[in-house]
Amino acid sequence: MGKYLIKRILIAIPVLLMVTVFCFGMVNLAPGDPSDLYLSQNATQVQKQEMKKNLGLDKPVYVQYVKWLGKTAQGDLGFSFASRTPVAEVIPEKLAATVELLICTLILSYAVAIPLGIICARHQGGWLDNTITGVSFLGVSIPGFFFGLGMVYIFAVELHWLPTGGMSSLGQSSGLLDRVSHIIMPTIVLSLFYCSNMLRYVRSSMIDIFSENYMRTAVSKGLSRKVVLWRHGFRNALIPIITVISSDIPKMLGGAVVTEQIFSWPGLGQLTISSIGSRDYPMLMAINLIAAVGVLICNLIADVLYAAVDPRIRY
């Protein structure tokens, strides 16, 4: 396992480099010039060139990339064009807010989807299975922004049960209950798609498992239904479930962009939107780098979990 992990990490390095090359090129190909944000419309060409030089944008793109890569390797992510503060000082707070939202989303999504998926598989073709599956298809079909705006209107504007957005109430100490009340709606909105999607995967996997001969053998031995379900059934269904989870986490980061914008959640998603609007290249590159590293780590963890849940898999 140790050799395999080292090999995967070594393979991930050139992959990460290729991702940074692609992202750096796409960011610099975007229309607009960051120097325009600091100058008036009547600025002369000399002033524009001087501002580009101050921002480090006067060099060719490949020179800018090499310079950025060298500083990043040393832990220097540069300065934000928008706030003129070090990117490394802004990212941790925003990342913590997004991670908090993603953890709550993961817990809610799979705590609901896995038991319901098993129930659907146990009652395949019954009214309960059809009802839950129908609701899951509805959850996959509803756009997140539409569902989010609907929840804001119902629970915040009309019923006044929950705050409209933000991470804490203004002018008040951010206690646990206040923090929980602010994260409820973003978590539900972000969980809707992934809960519905996982439910269908669990249902399909468990239906296949229930038809296997070893499940019939376990039942014929007189084992309890709980032992048959969890020890023999669910564990063998974990491989496709782990695959879905490892692919869902990076998608959640993308979904958080919309959700955080709707609920004014101060995380990486909201920071991404504001950085795009201000053409903040260093900040966008830092966010892309974090997302790429997150995807690689999720894939590596998934491979390790495969061997942990299935003794037939060895590296």
Side-chain angles (χ1 to χ4, degrees), residues 149-164 185:
L149 292 175
M151 288 198 68
V152 170
Y153 178 75
I154 294 173
F155 295 104
V157 177
E158 291 294 327
L159 299 177
H160 303 287
W161 288 357
L162 297 170
T164 56
M185 285 200 294

Side-chain angles (χ1 to χ4, degrees), residues 1-13 15 242-243 245-250 291-309 313 315:
M1 177 65 77
K3 291 182 179 179
Y4 173 77
L5 292 177
I6 294 174
K7 181 180 178 181
R8 283 296 303 269
I9 292 172
L10 292 176
I11 293 174
I13 293 175
V15 173
I242 291 173
T243 304
I245 293 176
S246 64
S247 63
D248 275 351
I249 295 176
V293 171
V295 171
L296 294 174
I297 291 175
C298 288
N299 290 333
L300 182 60
I301 293 175
D303 286 345
V304 174
L305 290 178
Y306 289 153
V309 301
I313 298 176
Y315 297 113

Side-chain angles (χ1 to χ4, degrees), residues 24 61-71:
F24 198 89
V61 174
Y62 65 89
V63 175
Q64 295 179 41
Y65 171 76
V66 172
K67 186 177 180 180
W68 172 85
L69 186 63
K71 289 185 176 180

Side-chain angles (χ1 to χ4, degrees), residues 82-111:
S83 61
R84 299 304 296 167
T85 57
V87 173
E89 293 182 2
V90 179
I91 288 292
E93 181 181 358
K94 302 295 184 180
L95 179 60
T98 297
V99 169
E100 180 181 343
L101 178 59
L102 294 185
I103 289 175
C104 293
T105 300
L106 284 170
I107 293 173
L108 177 62
S109 298
Y110 302 136

Side-chain angles (χ1 to χ4, degrees), residues 149-213:
L149 292 175
M151 288 198 68
V152 170
Y153 178 75
I154 294 173
F155 295 104
V157 177
E158 291 294 327
L159 299 177
H160 303 287
W161 288 357
L162 297 170
T164 56
M167 207 169 178
S168 60
S169 299
L170 295 176
Q172 300 180 17
S173 59
S174 181
L176 179 60
L177 291 178
D178 182 61
R179 193 70 167 259
V180 170
S181 67
H182 281 82
I183 203 173
I184 287 176
M185 285 200 294
T187 300
I188 293 175
V189 171
L190 193 55
S191 300
L192 179 66
F193 173 83
Y194 301 101
C195 179
S196 303
N197 193 48
M198 175 57 74
L199 189 152
R200 294 184 297 134
Y201 273 100
V202 173
R203 176 184 180 275
S204 177
S205 298
M206 292 304 296
I207 288 175
D208 292 338
I209 293 298
F210 285 147
S211 64
E212 295 290 342
N213 290 329

Side-chain angles (χ1 to χ4, degrees), residues 94 98 253 256-258 260-261 265 267-274:
K94 302 295 184 180
T98 297
L253 189 58
V257 173
V258 177
E260 290 181 4
Q261 194 69 13
W265 188 263
L268 287 181
Q270 193 178 56
L271 180 63
T272 301
I273 297 298
S274 62

